[in-house]
Amino acid sequence: MLARCNVSRCRLAEAQWRRRWETLDGRVVVITGAHGGLGRVVVETFGNAKALVVPIDLEGDECFHADVSTPEGNQQMIDEALRRHDRLDILVLNAGRQLVASIATYPLAAWDGLMISWPKGRSWPCKRPGRI
């Protein structure tokens, strides 16, 4: 009896998960850091779910180029989504910078760039007034 219950729960969870992804059909999704690595996988996943993806990155021919570590770049990103689809449903803030170095030799300017890119770059797009 217990095994049946667990199997039923798994099937229910799987059905719920599938319904959530089905609801992405036609949703407008902006994905930062979309050109490589995890960002590319996220773009493909949302695309396979039939979402309308607006990929944002500093590189890549398929991406809209915007520096999302600045308020102006974030504004350009949102404006591009609105220009293409007249709305924005989901924001995936994946962009970030990375420098691999010893803490003893880590350049201060690079550290400052990381502090702008990571925490500030994720808060700026959420500050836009009004509904998008």
Side-chain angles (χ1 to χ4, degrees), residues 113-124:
L114 287 174
M115 290 300 101
I116 290 171
S117 171
W118 287 95
K120 290 183 178 180
R122 278 153 178 70
S123 64
W124 283 324

Side-chain angles (χ1 to χ4, degrees), residues 30-51:
V30 169
I31 302 168
T32 66
H35 178 64
L38 179 61
R40 183 175 299 206
V41 173
V42 173
V43 167
E44 290 171 4
T45 302
F46 276 100
N48 290 340
K50 298 182 180 145

Side-chain angles (χ1 to χ4, degrees), residues 31-37 39-40 43 55-63:
I31 302 168
T32 66
H35 178 64
R40 183 175 299 206
V43 167
I56 309 292
D57 205 301
L58 292 173
E59 302 174 12
D61 294 336
E62 71 284 355
C63 296

Side-chain angles (χ1 to χ4, degrees), residues 23-31 46 50-54 77-78 80-92 132:
T23 62
L24 293 174
D25 189 2
R27 294 279 183 104
V28 178
V29 182
V30 169
I31 302 168
F46 276 100
K50 298 182 180 145
L52 304 171
V53 177
V54 181
M77 167 187 76
I78 291 170
E80 180 64 13
L82 296 175
R83 184 190 69 74
R84 289 185 189 186
H85 303 291
D86 203 32
R87 71 178 201 283
L88 171 56
D89 299 312
I90 300 169
L91 250 167
V92 179
I132 47 177

